[in-house]
Amino acid sequence: MRARHLCRAATFALLFAFGSALPISAQSIGQGGGFTLPDIPVLTIEPDRLFAGTLFGQRLAKDLEVLGLQLVSENRRIEGELADEESELTGLRQTMEPAEFRKLADDFDAKVTSARVAQDEKARALAARSDQAQRSFLQAIAPILEGMMTENGASVILDRRAVFLSADASDITASAIARIDEQLADGTALSELLQQGDEDGATSEP
C-alpha cells in the first residue's frame, strides 16, 4: 500500500511540474484540421498555496523555520568567536617573532575555512530536509487528491502555474486544503518524517 502511495505522489509531482507538456491526442484535431479541446476532465491546483494553507504544511514550515533560526544563531555565534580570536591574534603580533606569528595566523585561517565549510554543509542539509518535507507532504496527501479526482470524474490534476488559461471552477486548491485539514489535521512532525525517510532509504538499499 505504501509503495502504491509513493507511486501516486510521484505521479502528482510530475503532473505539477510538467502538466503543460501533456500530449494532445489525435482526436483533438477535427476533420477540417481545426483544434478542439480533448474530452478529458482536468482539475488544477496551486501546490505552494496547498502547502502553506494546510495545517500539516504549516506545521512542517514552522519546524523548518526553527531549524533555520538555529543555524542562523549558530553562524552568528561562530562568527563572533572567530572575530574575538582574530582580534586577540592581532594584538599578539607586536609581541611575537614573525615566524611564530605566521604559524598562528595560518592555523587561524585554516580554522576559519573549516568553519565555513562545516556551516555551508549544514545549510545544504537543511535545504535537503526542506525538499524531503515537501515530498513527504505530497506522499501523505496523494490519496486525498486521488479521491477528489474520482469524485470530480477527472483524469489529471495540473499545477495551475503551468496552465496557460483555465476556468476558476477547475481550481480545487481551497477544497483540497479543507479536505486535507479534515483528514490529516496537522499531520506528522518534521523530525518523524525525516526519520521515516531515513528508514525507507535504508530499507531500499541493496
Side-chain angles (χ1 to χ4, degrees):
M1 179 65 70
R2 180 175 177 81
R4 191 169 126 200
H5 286 169
L6 289 174
C7 245
R8 291 172 183 164
T11 299
F12 284 121
L14 286 173
L15 289 175
F16 289 157
F18 306 112
S20 62
L22 290 175
I24 299 174
S25 66
Q27 295 177 351
S28 299
I29 307 300
Q31 292 182 351
F35 175 79
T36 59
L37 290 174
D39 187 19
I40 301 176
V42 173
L43 301 175
T44 61
I45 207 165
E46 299 178 56
D48 291 342
R49 181 180 160 206
L50 196 67
F51 187 81
T54 56
L55 296 174
F56 188 13
Q58 290 168 8
R59 178 178 185 175
L60 294 177
K62 184 176 180 180
D63 289 345
L64 288 167
E65 182 182 10
V66 169
L67 293 177
L69 290 175
Q70 289 175 349
L71 181 59
V72 169
S73 177
E74 184 178 39
N75 286 341
R76 289 175 177 171
R77 175 182 60 78
I78 293 173
E79 288 173 1
E81 291 174 352
L82 290 175
D84 290 343
E85 188 172 343
E86 181 181 24
S87 178
E88 181 180 351
L89 184 61
T90 301
L92 294 174
R93 184 168 189 173
Q94 301 301 324
T95 64
M96 299 179 67
E97 294 294 330
E100 185 180 4
F101 177 80
R102 172 49 54 194
K103 183 180 184 307
L104 290 178
D106 290 343
D107 290 344
F108 176 74
D109 288 343
K111 184 176 182 179
V112 170
T113 299
S114 178
R116 183 181 298 114
V117 170
Q119 295 310 107
D120 287 346
E121 180 60 32
K122 290 181 181 180
R124 287 191 291 271
L126 180 58
R129 287 183 176 184
S130 178
D131 291 341
Q132 185 174 338
Q134 294 274 0
R135 290 194 299 270
S136 297
F137 176 78
L138 281 177
Q139 291 170 8
I141 69 173
I144 298 174
L145 296 183
E146 182 181 2
M148 297 184 72
M149 285 174 55
T150 301
E151 292 171 10
N152 289 276
S155 301
V156 294
I157 299 179
L158 304 181
D159 185 339
R160 185 154 187 166
R161 297 167 302 182
V163 177
F164 179 72
L165 183 65
S166 66
D168 289 339
S170 71
D171 187 345
I172 63 167
T173 305
S175 299
I177 290 174
R179 185 75 61 88
I180 292 167
D181 284 350
E182 178 185 353
Q183 296 191 24
L184 299 181
D186 63 353
T188 308
L190 177 63
S191 58
E192 296 179 33
L193 288 179
L194 294 175
Q195 183 178 0
Q196 292 172 8
D198 292 340
E199 292 173 353
D200 292 342
T203 302
S204 64
E205 290 181 0

